[in-house]
């Protein structure tokens, strides 16, 4: 049977507030265990929550960025469950009246193709603590620092149809929240986590199959892998005539498999009800419009502008626009070089390769956009070759200098583009190599392009730093005069 | 409405309470009686009535995003049943 | 000295009649000598009290005293007090030394009052008799066979026994007014949101409200002046100026209209109780007030609505008592589930477990709309009844409870009969209105309270009515027979 894959993602993004969603404790990552867990976060008897205005502002900003309905009235509910990292025995979340309603984003599917995915909702909630299972003599240690860190949980419609689409969706969400400055997007620190709901149905069938939920997948690659192995697992069961059990599963990246989560088996009745310690959150148009006015240009808009204004290909435009810092770097460098396409190729090519090789982000790059712009301006002006540009780039990267013009001089990369000087050298080369000239002249017209190679090599050997394009033109002209 | 023994045990489980054998009947009777009492609500027409969250229909106030709390781990962990290395200890949690 | 009111002690201290250390020591001695009989205190903080008293005397000597400096009082053991056990009457919190102050405790500290200790109560404020405390039942100073009412039975009994001139309390369904009635003292539950709930251990968040129990309306006003006020740490607190609650005490009753809800004076009301209450209300007529029958048609829904909302909210509020970060933990838990279940079952008494289970059931899948949401809608109907009534009247009067104090064990075996004890008091919690109980008569040698219900934020008027009644009668000055 042919199966259709149905995937919906629930992405948790930690909001980049200074303090927690309902208390004045710091949200900074990496502190000693429980040093940022105060009376509120520990759920001590008698403490009460008070809502952080910045968390509200960020959630609304997100809603506007995905063109969603904004909940002018939103309500916090208690989701009741017992777990040692959930100190109050309930999580404060939003069930029926979330801050962000139906919206949508366009995901990039490569080669400039994109697809619109609807976002069901996004709601505010508090993060839980962490359990540490090693180092406590067979017991678990509970660290509640993360408790109360504000989250938005972004729920997609079950419209994703492959693991690739799922990771593209996750990437796009990361790109959006980082653009908005509402989340640092750091997957390795758990600032964004993803739950994947996966099911299969016979192709053409409208009704959804039974789904499983894979919890807390923490990288783009693992989203793809987890979904792929889960699809395979489900397909095997269905092909054998079996049925899927609705359950929560965990992805084991080492074993490349998903397995049932024991701890979640009994939790099925969360007894939601409106938190009586908190009141309905009411906002008005004026508030929403004031936030709208602060929205930056978003990846989708930037991509369109790169194509229209700078003539970039859809692919290049979408890759560059995906990361705000990368896009800003590109625009700054291209503004100086005066050649957007060349700069785009450079940023996506040599520069990205260098970043990957050194495992650093664009924020940490030792070559500034101004320096790259200056290097490429020289390339555009034919003053240095593309290889020369790489040499300058590497020299700055390695800290050998910072002034582009100086480095070009120091490294002797200045190209000779003066035609009369090159003509003299070429004349000498031709005079020194009569056999080559004879061979060239005996070559049929259509094969001469290849036969010109040895002359170029000889010319550049005779005069370092000559512009190979100019050499080529002069050679062609001189040889043609002979033949 | 009256609850059977299994329902009582299921609710106790949900609430993480361990009801001993001899108390089950007591809980069953008492809970059923209270449910009979509260079931009077079902007859009331509340169509279109907004549930009351606060008597003054007040709305949520907002707190400025400022860190006001300092580390008091030692003080808080003094009253904890079991801690080590700054962590609260519990029997091993299996995920 | 112990027969003096708060206001008198305050004046005496200001006049230098005696020192704070002296009066504090006097009350501490009384507690030590007499409370074995009443069991009204869970924790007596002698050392802390004397330190505070000494500091207060020094402040006074330096000329920096106010009317509260060095005045002794106490807290219901539901208010967190930094460094002092805050047990809420439960084994669960027997070892819980609160690491912070509730706003109410902080307010009293700031004005320089002296806290004698923490008073006994029904476990987690769930009860109407103070029999469910882990620390044993509280005795009514008027009769050792009778309950003092609950949940603030310790606060009411201690004030009646002259162990402290004024004590904080809380009221979720009548927990200030009913024990005040049973013990012949004065208590007021303010408008919901008037007194901060921060640090006051939650029973039912949308109903809980702190207030004072004292001997007179004037003392209650003095305490409410300290307790009331907006608190940014409590989202449900109301941002509204606090008047001086003593300012209106002496206003005349002339021209005031008193509403008498016919549903509260139905044929079901015990005739002796009805007569006692009507006699009390006649005093108001004598003072120039007029009476008007009113109707609160949804009165019969108060008990059912309350017993959905309160258990539902408590079932979640008490989930934090899980044996992980504070409170009781069972011995040798075999796994995390065992830790949760045994710690909670060992830590909570039967009534608490019953209400948690009731709430868990009411909120469980498929029942939310039928129970919690329905009850919150009914609340609005109940509120609307009062809003309509207050268009015609200034204050509403009724019995506090169907009877005077009942005997130990009389109702504790049958929760429903205990729940019906709150039939006249629940409505103000559901509507969020202020309510008060003042001593207004005696039945079978036991005190009986008159309930005053005011419009939103009309605490001043209630205190005014209460004060005028106390000027005209002497019920509030009666002392339990045989009290030393």
């Amino acid at each position: 049977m042919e199966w259709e894959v149905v995937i919906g993602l629930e992405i948790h993004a930690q909001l980049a507030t200074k303090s927690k969603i309902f208390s004045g404790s710091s949200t900074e990552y990496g502190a000693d265990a429980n040093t940022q867990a105060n009376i509120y976060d520990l759920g001590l008897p008698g403490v009460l929550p008070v809502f952080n205005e910045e968390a509200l502002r960020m959630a609304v900003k997100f809603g506007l960025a995905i063109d969603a309905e904004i909940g002018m009235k939103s309500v916090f509910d208690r989701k009741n469950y017992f777990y040692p990292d959930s100190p109050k025995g309930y999580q404060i979340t939003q069930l029926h009246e979330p801050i962000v309603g139906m919206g949508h984003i366009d995901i990039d599917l490569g080669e400039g193709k994109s697809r619109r995915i609807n976002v069901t909702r996004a709601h505010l909630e508090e993060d839980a603590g962490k359990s540490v299972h090693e180092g406590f003599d067979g017991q678990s240690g509970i660290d509640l620092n993360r408790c109360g860190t504000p989250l938005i949980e972004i729920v997609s419609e079950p419209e994703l149809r492959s693991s690739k689409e799922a990771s593209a969706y996750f990437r796009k969400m990361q790109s959006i929240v980082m653009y908005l400055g509402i989340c640092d997007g750091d997957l390795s620190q758990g600032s964004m986590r993803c739950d994947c709901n996966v099911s299969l149905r016979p192709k053409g069938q409208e009704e959804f199959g039974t789904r499983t939920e894979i919890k807390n997948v923490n990288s783009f690659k693992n989203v793809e892998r987890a979904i792929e192995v889960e699809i395979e697992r489900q397909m095997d069961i269905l092909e054998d005539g079996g049925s899927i059990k609705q359950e929560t599963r965990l992805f084991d990246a080492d074993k490349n498999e998903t397995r049932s989560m024991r701890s979640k088996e009994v939790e099925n009745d969360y007894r939601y009800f409106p938190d009586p310690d908190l009141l309905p959150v009411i906002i008005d148009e004026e508030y929403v419009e004031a936030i709208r006015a602060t929205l930056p240009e978003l990846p989708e808009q930037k991509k369109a502008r790169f194509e229209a204004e700078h003539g970039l290909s859809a692919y290049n435009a979408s890759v560059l626009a995906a990361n705000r810092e990368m896009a800003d770097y590109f625009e700054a460098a291209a503004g100086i070089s005066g050649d957007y396409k060349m700069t785009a190729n450079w940023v996506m090519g040599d520069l990205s390769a260098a970043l990957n090789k050194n495992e650093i982000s664009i924020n940490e790059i030792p070559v500034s956009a101004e320096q790259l712009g200056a290097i490429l301006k020289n390339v555009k002006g034919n003053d240095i070759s593309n290889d020369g540009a790489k040499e300058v780039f590497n020299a700055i990267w390695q800290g050998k200098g910072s002034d582009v013009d100086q480095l070009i001089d120091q490294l002797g990369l200045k190209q000779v583009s003066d035609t009369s000087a090159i003509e003299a050298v070429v004349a000498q080369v031709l005079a020194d190599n009569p056999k080559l000239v004879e061979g060239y002249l005996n070559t049929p017209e259509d094969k001469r392009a290849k036969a010109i190679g040895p002359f170029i090599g000889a010319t550049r050997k005779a005069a370092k730093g000559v512009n190979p394009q100019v050499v080529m033109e002069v050679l062609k002209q001189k040889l043609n005069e002979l033949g | 409405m009256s609850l059977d023994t299994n329902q009582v045990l299921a609710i106790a489980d949900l609430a993480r309470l361990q009801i001993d054998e001899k108390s089950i009947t007591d809980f069953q009777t008492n809970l059923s009686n209270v449910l009979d009492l509260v079931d009077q609500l079902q007859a009331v027409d509340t169509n279109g009535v907004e549930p009351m969250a606060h008597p003054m229909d007040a709305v949520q106030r907002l707190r400025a995003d400022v860190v006001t709390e300092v580390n008091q781990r030692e003080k808080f962990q003094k009253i904890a049943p079991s801690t080590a290395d700054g962590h609260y200890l519990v029997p091993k949690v299996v995920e | 000295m112990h027969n003096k009111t708060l206001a008198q002690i305050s004046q005496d201290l200001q006049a230098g009649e005696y020192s704070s250390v002296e009066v504090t020591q006097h009350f501490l001695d009384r507690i030590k000598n007499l409370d074995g009989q009443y069991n009204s205190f869970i924790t007596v903080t002698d050392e802390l009290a004397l330190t505070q008293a000494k500091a207060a005397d020094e402040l006074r000597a330096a000329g920096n005293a106010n009317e509260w400096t060095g005045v002794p009082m106490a807290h219901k053991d539901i208010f967190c007090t930094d460094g002092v056990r805050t047990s809420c009457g439960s084994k669960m919190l027997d070892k819980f030394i609160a690491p912070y102050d509730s706003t109410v405790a902080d307010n009293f500290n700031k004005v320089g009052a002296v806290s004698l200790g923490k008073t006994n109560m029904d476990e987690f404020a769930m009860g109407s008799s103070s029999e469910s405390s882990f620390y044993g039942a509280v005795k009514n100073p008027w009769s050792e066979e009778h309950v003092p009412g609950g949940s603030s039975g310790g606060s009411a009994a201690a004030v009646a026994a002259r162990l402290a001139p004024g004590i904080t309390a809380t009221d979720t369904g009548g927990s200030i007014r009913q024990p005040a009635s049973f013990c012949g003292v004065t208590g007021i539950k303010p408008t919901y949101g008037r007194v901060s709930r921060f640090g006051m251990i939650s029973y039912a968040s949308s109903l809980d409200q702190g207030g004072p129990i004292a001997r007179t309306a004037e003392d209650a006003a003095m305490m409410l002046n300290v307790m009331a006020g907006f608190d940014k740490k409590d989202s449900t607190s109301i941002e509204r100026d606090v008047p001086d609650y003593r300012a209106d005490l002496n206003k005349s009753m002339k021209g005031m209209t008193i509403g008498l809800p016919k549903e509260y004076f139905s044929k079901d009301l015990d005739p002796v109780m009805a007569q006692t209450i009507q006699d009390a209300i006649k005093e108001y007529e004598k003072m120039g007030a007029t009476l008007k029958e009113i109707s609160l048609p949804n009165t019969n829904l108060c008990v059912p609505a309350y017993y959905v909302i309160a258990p539902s909210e408590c079932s979640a509020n008490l989930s934090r008592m899980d044996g992980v970060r504070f409170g009781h933990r069972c011995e040798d838990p075999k796994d995390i589930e065992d830790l949760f279940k045994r710690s909670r079952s060992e830590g909570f008494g039967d009534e608490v477990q019953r209400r948690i289970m009731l709430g868990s059931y009411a909120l469980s899948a498929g029942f939310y709309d039928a129970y919690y949401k329905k009850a919150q809608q009914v609340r609005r109907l109940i509120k609307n009844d009062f809003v309509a009534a207050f268009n015609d009247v200034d204050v509403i009067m009724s019995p506090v409870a169907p009877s005077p104090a009942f005997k130990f064990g009389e109702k504790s075996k049958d929760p429903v009969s205990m729940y019906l004890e709150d039939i006249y008091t629940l409505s103000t919690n559901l509507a969020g209105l202020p309510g008060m109980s003042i001593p207004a008569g005696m039945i079978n040698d036991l005190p009986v309270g008159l309930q005053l219900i005011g419009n939103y934020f009309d605490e001043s008027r209630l205190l005014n009515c209460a004060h005028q009644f106390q000027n005209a009668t002497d019920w509030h000055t009666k002392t339990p027979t045989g009290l030393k």
Side-chain angles (χ1 to χ4, degrees), chain B residues 20-69:
Chain B
D20 58 57
E21 288 286 328
K22 56 184 196 298
S23 316
I24 296 178
T25 329
D26 262 3
F27 275 110
Q28 194 182 334
T29 315
N30 287 329
L31 289 174
S32 299
N33 289 345
V34 182
L35 287 173
D36 284 341
L37 180 75
V38 304
D39 275 337
Q40 291 175 48
L41 292 177
Q42 305 317 324
V44 187
D45 179 8
T46 51
N47 244 335
V49 180
E50 178 76 7
M52 189 168 121
H54 188 287
M56 258 56 70
D57 289 318
V59 301
Q60 183 59 39
R61 259 178 304 107
L62 302 174
R63 181 178 61 77
D65 181 25
V66 178
V67 176
T68 53
E69 302 298 309

Side-chain angles (χ1 to χ4, degrees), chain C residues 70-108:
Chain C
V71 176
M73 47 78 65
H75 289 293
K76 183 178 180 178
D77 205 19
I78 197 169
F79 289 100
C80 285
T81 41
D82 197 355
V84 176
R85 173 174 61 183
T86 302
S87 75
C88 232
S90 181
K91 179 182 179 185
M92 180 60 87
L93 296 181
D94 183 43
K95 295 191 175 65
F96 178 64
I97 310 298
Y100 75 104
D101 269 323
S102 55
T103 297
V104 163
D106 191 40
N107 287 351
F108 278 102

Side-chain angles (χ1 to χ4, degrees), chain A residues 19-20 24 33-34 51 142, chain B residues 60 63 65 68 73 86 88 92:
Chain A
S19 65
K20 294 187 176 174
N34 290 308
F51 183 35
I142 310 295
Chain B
Q60 183 59 39
R63 181 178 61 77
D65 181 25
T68 53
R73 184 172 80 182
Y88 293 93
K92 188 121 185 163

Side-chain angles (χ1 to χ4, degrees), chain A residues 385-420:
Chain A
S385 66
N386 201 44
D387 288 342
K390 283 182 197 170
E391 270 191 62
V392 182
F393 181 83
N394 288 336
I396 297 176
W397 190 294
Q398 288 152 15
K400 291 178 182 161
S402 61
D403 189 293
V404 172
D405 289 337
Q406 254 175 32
L407 280 167
I408 291 173
D409 284 346
Q410 270 173 30
L411 299 169
L413 297 171
K414 194 96 179 164
Q415 289 189 139
V416 180
S417 300
D418 179 0
T419 317
S420 58

Side-chain angles (χ1 to χ4, degrees), chain A residues 23-97:
Chain A
S23 86
S25 303
S26 170
T27 54
E28 210 160 303
Y29 178 82
D32 274 357
N34 290 308
T35 54
Q36 282 168 191
N38 289 292
I39 51 173
Y40 308 90
D41 321 308
L42 295 173
L44 291 191
V47 299
L48 297 170
V50 186
F51 183 35
N52 183 338
E53 63 177 4
E54 193 61 16
L56 175 64
R57 208 183 57 79
M58 287 178 169
V60 171
K61 201 169 181 183
F62 174 77
L64 293 172
I66 63 162
D67 199 16
E69 295 162 33
I70 303 299
M72 304 310 275
K73 177 190 177 200
S74 54
V75 174
F76 285 110
D77 297 287
R78 292 182 180 179
K79 178 184 183 181
N80 292 286
Y81 66 97
F82 286 88
Y83 206 68
D85 66 12
S86 169
K88 297 189 296 299
Y90 57 83
Q91 178 194 31
I92 303 177
T93 178
Q94 298 180 319
L95 177 67
H96 293 299
E97 296 176 84

